[in-house]
PDB file of all heavy atoms in Angstrom:
ATOM      1  N   LEU A 115     -58.116 -73.478  55.124  1.00 88.00           N
ATOM      2  CA  LEU A 115     -58.063 -72.740  53.855  1.00 88.00           C
ATOM      3  C   LEU A 115     -56.635 -72.261  53.638  1.00 88.00           C
ATOM      4  O   LEU A 115     -56.034 -71.660  54.543  1.00 88.00           O
ATOM      5  CB  LEU A 115     -59.006 -71.537  53.930  1.00 88.00           C
ATOM      6  CG  LEU A 115     -60.474 -71.890  54.178  1.00 88.00           C
ATOM      7  CD1 LEU A 115     -61.313 -70.617  54.260  1.00 88.00           C
ATOM      8  CD2 LEU A 115     -60.995 -72.811  53.092  1.00 88.00           C
ATOM      9  N   GLU A 116     -56.104 -72.506  52.436  1.00 86.00           N
ATOM     10  CA  GLU A 116     -54.711 -72.109  52.208  1.00 86.00           C
ATOM     11  C   GLU A 116     -54.621 -70.584  52.321  1.00 86.00           C
ATOM     12  O   GLU A 116     -55.557 -69.857  51.986  1.00 86.00           O
ATOM     13  CB  GLU A 116     -54.202 -72.635  50.849  1.00 86.00           C
ATOM     14  CG  GLU A 116     -54.461 -71.760  49.646  1.00 86.00           C
ATOM     15  CD  GLU A 116     -55.905 -71.862  49.184  1.00 86.00           C
ATOM     16  OE1 GLU A 116     -56.611 -72.806  49.604  1.00 86.00           O
ATOM     17  OE2 GLU A 116     -56.332 -70.990  48.431  1.00 86.00           O
ATOM     18  N   GLY A 117     -53.535 -70.165  52.934  1.00 86.00           N
ATOM     19  CA  GLY A 117     -53.318 -68.712  53.104  1.00 86.00           C
ATOM     20  C   GLY A 117     -53.964 -68.189  54.373  1.00 86.00           C
ATOM     21  O   GLY A 117     -53.792 -67.039  54.741  1.00 86.00           O
ATOM     22  N   GLU A 118     -54.745 -69.075  55.060  1.00 85.00           N
ATOM     23  CA  GLU A 118     -55.359 -68.616  56.319  1.00 85.00           C
ATOM     24  C   GLU A 118     -54.622 -69.238  57.501  1.00 85.00           C
ATOM     25  O   GLU A 118     -54.160 -70.371  57.422  1.00 85.00           O
ATOM     26  CB  GLU A 118     -56.833 -69.032  56.372  1.00 85.00           C
ATOM     27  CG  GLU A 118     -57.670 -68.483  55.228  1.00 85.00           C
ATOM     28  CD  GLU A 118     -57.626 -66.957  55.134  1.00 85.00           C
ATOM     29  OE1 GLU A 118     -57.439 -66.303  56.184  1.00 85.00           O
ATOM     30  OE2 GLU A 118     -57.694 -66.443  54.013  1.00 85.00           O
ATOM     31  N   ASP A 119     -54.548 -68.496  58.597  1.00 83.00           N
ATOM     32  CA  ASP A 119     -53.935 -69.062  59.815  1.00 83.00           C
ATOM     33  C   ASP A 119     -54.719 -70.299  60.230  1.00 83.00           C
ATOM     34  O   ASP A 119     -55.952 -70.324  60.105  1.00 83.00           O
ATOM     35  CB  ASP A 119     -54.013 -68.045  60.969  1.00 83.00           C
ATOM     36  CG  ASP A 119     -53.149 -66.824  60.670  1.00 83.00           C
ATOM     37  OD1 ASP A 119     -52.447 -66.870  59.625  1.00 83.00           O
ATOM     38  OD2 ASP A 119     -53.214 -65.855  61.420  1.00 83.00           O
ATOM     39  N   VAL A 120     -54.005 -71.263  60.759  1.00 80.00           N
ATOM     40  CA  VAL A 120     -54.681 -72.443  61.302  1.00 80.00           C
ATOM     41  C   VAL A 120     -55.030 -72.141  62.760  1.00 80.00           C
ATOM     42  O   VAL A 120     -54.156 -71.848  63.563  1.00 80.00           O
ATOM     43  CB  VAL A 120     -53.745 -73.679  61.246  1.00 80.00           C
ATOM     44  CG1 VAL A 120     -54.458 -74.895  61.842  1.00 80.00           C
ATOM     45  CG2 VAL A 120     -53.341 -73.934  59.805  1.00 80.00           C
ATOM     46  N   LEU A 121     -56.314 -72.148  63.072  1.00 83.00           N
ATOM     47  CA  LEU A 121     -56.695 -71.846  64.463  1.00 83.00           C
ATOM     48  C   LEU A 121     -56.489 -73.069  65.351  1.00 83.00           C
ATOM     49  O   LEU A 121     -56.274 -72.944  66.538  1.00 83.00           O
ATOM     50  CB  LEU A 121     -58.161 -71.408  64.519  1.00 83.00           C
ATOM     51  CG  LEU A 121     -58.483 -70.034  63.931  1.00 83.00           C
ATOM     52  CD1 LEU A 121     -59.941 -69.689  64.200  1.00 83.00           C
ATOM     53  CD2 LEU A 121     -57.582 -68.959  64.513  1.00 83.00           C
ATOM     54  N   GLY A 122     -56.561 -74.257  64.738  1.00 82.00           N
ATOM     55  CA  GLY A 122     -56.327 -75.475  65.525  1.00 82.00           C
ATOM     56  C   GLY A 122     -57.423 -75.740  66.547  1.00 82.00           C
ATOM     57  O   GLY A 122     -57.214 -76.427  67.534  1.00 82.00           O
ATOM     58  N   ARG A 123     -58.600 -75.160  66.347  1.00 86.00           N
ATOM     59  CA  ARG A 123     -59.687 -75.467  67.268  1.00 86.00           C
ATOM     60  C   ARG A 123     -61.007 -75.250  66.532  1.00 86.00           C
ATOM     61  O   ARG A 123     -61.054 -74.535  65.525  1.00 86.00           O
ATOM     62  CB  ARG A 123     -59.635 -74.540  68.492  1.00 86.00           C
ATOM     63  CG  ARG A 123     -59.721 -73.082  68.128  1.00 86.00           C
ATOM     64  CD  ARG A 123     -59.562 -72.170  69.339  1.00 86.00           C
ATOM     65  NE  ARG A 123     -59.414 -70.808  68.910  1.00 86.00           N
ATOM     66  CZ  ARG A 123     -60.429 -70.011  68.577  1.00 86.00           C
ATOM     67  NH1 ARG A 123     -61.671 -70.488  68.613  1.00 86.00           N
ATOM     68  NH2 ARG A 123     -60.215 -68.777  68.175  1.00 86.00           N
ATOM     69  N   GLU A 124     -62.060 -75.874  67.084  1.00 91.00           N
ATOM     70  CA  GLU A 124     -63.371 -75.726  66.453  1.00 91.00           C
ATOM     71  C   GLU A 124     -63.970 -74.384  66.857  1.00 91.00           C
ATOM     72  O   GLU A 124     -63.799 -73.938  68.005  1.00 91.00           O
ATOM     73  CB  GLU A 124     -64.293 -76.856  66.924  1.00 91.00           C
ATOM     74  CG  GLU A 124     -65.727 -76.681  66.429  1.00 91.00           C
ATOM     75  CD  GLU A 124     -66.561 -77.941  66.614  1.00 91.00           C
ATOM     76  OE1 GLU A 124     -66.005 -78.969  67.028  1.00 91.00           O
ATOM     77  OE2 GLU A 124     -67.763 -77.865  66.334  1.00 91.00           O
ATOM     78  N   ILE A 125     -64.619 -73.730  65.926  1.00 95.00           N
ATOM     79  CA  ILE A 125     -65.358 -72.501  66.255  1.00 95.00           C
ATOM     80  C   ILE A 125     -66.833 -72.878  66.283  1.00 95.00           C
ATOM     81  O   ILE A 125     -67.402 -73.209  65.232  1.00 95.00           O
ATOM     82  CB  ILE A 125     -65.126 -71.406  65.197  1.00 95.00           C
ATOM     83  CG1 ILE A 125     -63.634 -71.085  65.064  1.00 95.00           C
ATOM     84  CG2 ILE A 125     -65.927 -70.152  65.555  1.00 95.00           C
ATOM     85  CD1 ILE A 125     -63.319 -70.154  63.912  1.00 95.00           C
ATOM     86  N   PRO A 126     -67.464 -72.885  67.443  1.00 95.00           N
ATOM     87  CA  PRO A 126     -68.881 -73.253  67.497  1.00 95.00           C
ATOM     88  C   PRO A 126     -69.749 -72.232  66.764  1.00 95.00           C
ATOM     89  O   PRO A 126     -69.381 -71.041  66.688  1.00 95.00           O
ATOM     90  CB  PRO A 126     -69.212 -73.289  68.994  1.00 95.00           C
ATOM     91  CG  PRO A 126     -68.095 -72.592  69.681  1.00 95.00           C
ATOM     92  CD  PRO A 126     -66.923 -72.556  68.767  1.00 95.00           C
ATOM     93  N   VAL A 127     -70.845 -72.720  66.211  1.00 96.00           N
ATOM     94  CA  VAL A 127     -71.804 -71.864  65.502  1.00 96.00           C
ATOM     95  C   VAL A 127     -73.179 -72.106  66.108  1.00 96.00           C
ATOM     96  O   VAL A 127     -73.590 -73.256  66.281  1.00 96.00           O
ATOM     97  CB  VAL A 127     -71.855 -72.205  63.995  1.00 96.00           C
ATOM     98  CG1 VAL A 127     -72.739 -71.206  63.246  1.00 96.00           C
ATOM     99  CG2 VAL A 127     -70.450 -72.208  63.386  1.00 96.00           C
ATOM    100  N   ILE A 128     -73.878 -71.025  66.461  1.00 97.00           N
ATOM    101  CA  ILE A 128     -75.243 -71.184  66.978  1.00 97.00           C
ATOM    102  C   ILE A 128     -76.200 -70.345  66.141  1.00 97.00           C
ATOM    103  O   ILE A 128     -75.769 -69.422  65.433  1.00 97.00           O
ATOM    104  CB  ILE A 128     -75.342 -70.792  68.480  1.00 97.00           C
ATOM    105  CG1 ILE A 128     -75.026 -69.314  68.713  1.00 97.00           C
ATOM    106  CG2 ILE A 128     -74.440 -71.696  69.326  1.00 97.00           C
ATOM    107  CD1 ILE A 128     -75.214 -68.870  70.181  1.00 97.00           C
ATOM    108  N   ASN A 129     -77.479 -70.666  66.224  1.00 96.00           N
ATOM    109  CA  ASN A 129     -78.494 -70.000  65.394  1.00 96.00           C
ATOM    110  C   ASN A 129     -79.752 -69.784  66.223  1.00 96.00           C
ATOM    111  O   ASN A 129     -80.124 -70.636  67.038  1.00 96.00           O
ATOM    112  CB  ASN A 129     -78.820 -70.881  64.185  1.00 96.00           C
ATOM    113  CG  ASN A 129     -79.923 -70.283  63.305  1.00 96.00           C
ATOM    114  OD1 ASN A 129     -79.853 -69.138  62.908  1.00 96.00           O
ATOM    115  ND2 ASN A 129     -80.953 -71.071  63.025  1.00 96.00           N
ATOM    116  N   ILE A 130     -80.406 -68.653  65.984  1.00 97.00           N
ATOM    117  CA  ILE A 130     -81.688 -68.430  66.650  1.00 97.00           C
ATOM    118  C   ILE A 130     -82.794 -68.720  65.643  1.00 97.00           C
ATOM    119  O   ILE A 130     -82.690 -68.341  64.484  1.00 97.00           O
ATOM    120  CB  ILE A 130     -81.820 -67.010  67.227  1.00 97.00           C
ATOM    121  CG1 ILE A 130     -83.159 -66.862  67.965  1.00 97.00           C
ATOM    122  CG2 ILE A 130     -81.664 -65.903  66.162  1.00 97.00           C
ATOM    123  CD1 ILE A 130     -83.086 -66.025  69.194  1.00 97.00           C
ATOM    124  N   HIS A 131     -83.795 -69.455  66.106  1.00 96.00           N
ATOM    125  CA  HIS A 131     -84.889 -69.828  65.195  1.00 96.00           C
ATOM    126  C   HIS A 131     -86.211 -69.664  65.928  1.00 96.00           C
ATOM    127  O   HIS A 131     -86.364 -70.158  67.046  1.00 96.00           O
ATOM    128  CB  HIS A 131     -84.705 -71.278  64.724  1.00 96.00           C
ATOM    129  CG  HIS A 131     -85.720 -71.684  63.715  1.00 96.00           C
ATOM    130  ND1 HIS A 131     -85.818 -71.085  62.483  1.00 96.00           N
ATOM    131  CD2 HIS A 131     -86.708 -72.605  63.766  1.00 96.00           C
ATOM    132  CE1 HIS A 131     -86.828 -71.620  61.811  1.00 96.00           C
ATOM    133  NE2 HIS A 131     -87.370 -72.543  62.573  1.00 96.00           N
ATOM    134  N   PRO A 132     -87.173 -68.943  65.319  1.00 97.00           N
ATOM    135  CA  PRO A 132     -88.416 -68.628  66.028  1.00 97.00           C
ATOM    136  C   PRO A 132     -89.442 -69.766  65.973  1.00 97.00           C
ATOM    137  O   PRO A 132     -90.564 -69.589  65.494  1.00 97.00           O
ATOM    138  CB  PRO A 132     -88.923 -67.395  65.283  1.00 97.00           C
ATOM    139  CG  PRO A 132     -88.425 -67.551  63.900  1.00 97.00           C
ATOM    140  CD  PRO A 132     -87.124 -68.301  63.997  1.00 97.00           C
ATOM    141  N   ALA A 133     -89.018 -70.928  66.477  1.00 97.00           N
ATOM    142  CA  ALA A 133     -89.945 -72.074  66.566  1.00 97.00           C
ATOM    143  C   ALA A 133     -89.370 -73.026  67.618  1.00 97.00           C
ATOM    144  O   ALA A 133     -88.215 -72.889  68.022  1.00 97.00           O
ATOM    145  CB  ALA A 133     -90.059 -72.784  65.222  1.00 97.00           C
ATOM    146  N   LEU A 134     -90.169 -73.995  68.020  1.00 97.00           N
ATOM    147  CA  LEU A 134     -89.674 -74.986  68.987  1.00 97.00           C
ATOM    148  C   LEU A 134     -88.932 -76.084  68.234  1.00 97.00           C
ATOM    149  O   LEU A 134     -89.117 -76.231  67.015  1.00 97.00           O
ATOM    150  CB  LEU A 134     -90.862 -75.563  69.774  1.00 97.00           C
ATOM    151  CG  LEU A 134     -91.596 -74.563  70.660  1.00 97.00           C
ATOM    152  CD1 LEU A 134     -92.828 -75.203  71.302  1.00 97.00           C
ATOM    153  CD2 LEU A 134     -90.666 -73.976  71.724  1.00 97.00           C
TER     154      LEU A 134
END
Side-chain angles (χ1 to χ4, degrees):
L115 300 179
E116 87 283 345
E118 301 303 331
D119 294 355
V120 179
L121 289 186
R123 58 184 170 82
E124 174 167 355
I125 302 172
V127 186
I128 63 176
N129 177 51
I130 183 143
H131 185 63
L134 295 175

